[in-house]
Amino acid sequence: MHLKKLLLLLFIGCQLMASAQFISLRGTNSAQFLSDNVYEADLSHALGAEIYFSKPINFIPLPMNYNIGLDYKNIDGLNEAYLITGLTYVTITPSGFMFATNAESVTMSTYKWLNYFDLNMYNGVIIGDSTYTYKMGGEIGYNFGYVLSKTMFLHFGLSARYNYTPAYKENLYVDATSLDFVFKAGILYKFKRRFNKP
């Protein structure tokens, strides 16, 4: 059963790679500021990494993408794994970074930066020695990338993420909610446009 699920995920991933606009791979550092609505600063609360695909939404007349990916975090030895789903709104694109959604997304300038906002949901688990605890979160972020080549960007992001663990709601010894500010740094690869032959 696990093999079938793994093969299905690999198939979906290959399909996304074939049609995605870009893929992002970044390391993350989470700084926690609120814990169960109490101020508690921890500037290096969690380290992790994320990878996600982003693809244009062609049926709306806006430069928007949908995102799907994976996120991993390590908090004081505890591992957390999440599925990322969400939306991206592209504000400024560098030269040659073309979107299929509309002509307004194309710029003729020599601007070297990609800028966009995203809103993502995180659904995943805290992985204990022999237990799995469901955890969810919502994140709003600002992202920017600098052109290195026609397909490669340095990719950074700043975001605020609200986390909620339903199973911890009645537990006084662990945090059920938290607010993190996340810094992200890595690379973005833009897939080359494919045109159908007549």
Side-chain angles (χ1 to χ4, degrees), residues 29-32 42-47 73-76 178 180:
N29 179 67
S30 300
Q32 185 180 77
D42 183 353
L43 297 181
S44 189
H45 177 67
L47 296 174
K73 289 195 333 187
N74 183 285
I75 304 175
D76 297 327
S178 64
D180 298 346

Side-chain angles (χ1 to χ4, degrees), residues 26 52 87-89 91 115-120 122 138-144 156-161 182 184:
R26 293 184 286 186
Y52 67 84
L87 295 172
T88 286
Y89 181 78
T91 54
N115 294 263
Y116 66 92
F117 293 92
D118 58 17
L119 179 64
N120 290 319
Y122 291 76
E139 181 180 88
I140 185 168
Y142 168 69
N143 303 274
F144 51 99
F156 303 96
L158 299 168
S159 64
R161 185 187 301 181
V182 186
K184 307 177 181 186

Side-chain angles (χ1 to χ4, degrees), residues 8-26 50-57 64-71 82-88 97 99 116 118-122 155 187-191 194:
L8 178 62
L9 286 174
L10 287 173
F11 175 76
I12 292 171
C14 290
Q15 291 298 314
L16 286 168
M17 279 188 69
S19 60
Q21 184 177 27
F22 65 79
I23 181 173
S24 170
L25 175 62
R26 293 184 286 186
E50 68 174 19
I51 182 170
Y52 67 84
F53 300 97
S54 193
K55 180 175 172 29
I57 304 172
M64 291 190 73
N65 291 9
Y66 66 84
N67 310 319
I68 186 165
L70 299 171
D71 179 80
Y82 299 91
L83 174 68
I84 305 169
T85 54
L87 295 172
T88 286
F97 197 94
F99 289 81
Y116 66 92
D118 58 17
L119 179 64
N120 290 319
M121 292 296 298
Y122 291 76
H155 193 210
I187 58 170
L188 180 149
Y189 178 80
K190 182 180 79 73
F191 292 95
R194 292 181 174 86

